[in-house]
Amino acid sequence: MVTADRLTASAAMSLVLIIIPGPSVLFVVGRALAQGRRAALTTVLGNTLGAYVLIVAVALGVGAVVERSALVFTMLKLAGAAYLVWLGVKAWRERSSLPTAFAEGGHTYGGLRTLWEGFGVGVTNPKSIVFFAAVLPQFVDRGQGNAAVQMLVLGLIFNAIALVFDGCWGPAAATARDWFARSPQRLSKVGGIGGLMLIGLGITIAATGRKD
């Protein structure tokens, strides 16, 4: 199993990565502004599940292929970027319906759909792909054996930390949204802002490449 010192070092490195807002955090904030607290927390759960799929892939050796192949990495990155832009455009187009949905106490999308969209962003997050493929394996103690199991344990620690910190962003952004909800015009605007954030995030990810 993973030794205590490696667990501590891995947790510290994971914390550094998580507290710096990246695609997942910005996506959660955008979802909170566009749809509210419940959608934001569901998105966090979806993101976490998507991230762990990446960890499992790395543990099974797939991550090495993604990290070493610029073509595969770029294709995955562009797919994630396009997905974010598509979601942002939808949020922008549907911003005028938010006041009505909020007044009725409903949500723009169902929980399963929101969970799946969060999963899609989590599993295509370039920042996570690089970290899981190039950084996390460094904390595996090959002398202990069961390298794949060690990776899965380290991934669980990363996900636990991410779940706590990312889970704070959504409610905070949703609280601001509640203030905007006092005015239909303001709520419509904040829904549009959430959509623009997703579009901008997608474009940023697409424009960010690797040196190779």
Side-chain angles (χ1 to χ4, degrees):
M1 290 296 294
V2 187
T3 58
D5 59 332
R6 289 177 182 263
L7 282 174
T8 302
S10 173
M13 182 67 72
S14 298
L15 180 61
V16 171
L17 177 77
I18 291 168
I19 61 177
I20 300 175
S24 293
V25 168
L26 296 180
F27 181 67
V28 170
V29 171
R31 266 293 182 252
L33 293 177
Q35 298 183 37
R37 183 177 288 102
R38 181 177 176 182
L41 293 177
T42 303
T43 298
V44 170
L45 179 58
N47 258 305
T48 302
L49 293 174
Y52 201 69
V53 168
L54 288 178
I55 294 169
V56 172
V58 171
L60 297 178
V62 177
V65 177
V66 176
E67 173 61 19
R68 294 170 184 172
S69 173
L71 176 60
V72 174
F73 182 89
T74 300
M75 290 177 62
L76 189 58
K77 178 190 71 172
L78 292 179
Y83 187 57
L84 286 171
V85 171
W86 177 69
L87 291 176
V89 170
K90 288 188 64 178
W92 172 263
R93 293 179 60 184
E94 297 172 359
R95 68 190 186 283
S96 60
S97 65
L98 289 177
T100 301
F102 191 90
E104 296 175 349
H107 299 278
T108 305
Y109 300 128
L112 287 177
R113 180 171 179 176
T114 302
L115 180 71
W116 177 250
E117 290 179 344
F119 176 87
V121 173
V123 81
T124 58
N125 187 342
K127 181 179 177 182
S128 297
I129 292 173
V130 172
F131 180 77
F132 296 150
V135 180
L136 208 58
Q138 298 179 23
F139 297 99
V140 173
D141 187 350
R142 305 293 176 182
Q144 296 289 330
N146 296 319
V149 174
Q150 292 186 56
M151 276 293 303
L152 295 177
V153 173
L154 293 173
L156 282 175
I157 294 175
F158 176 94
N159 272 10
I161 297 173
L163 193 62
V164 172
F165 280 85
D166 290 354
C168 293
W169 284 100
T175 299
R177 175 183 182 269
D178 291 342
W179 180 83
F180 281 102
R182 298 172 188 173
S183 166
Q185 291 76 21
R186 287 186 301 198
L187 183 58
S188 179
K189 289 180 180 179
V190 79
I193 291 173
L196 290 177
M197 285 181 61
L198 296 179
I199 294 172
L201 177 60
I203 294 175
T204 300
I205 291 176
T208 302
R210 299 187 345 178
K211 294 181 178 180
D212 56 353

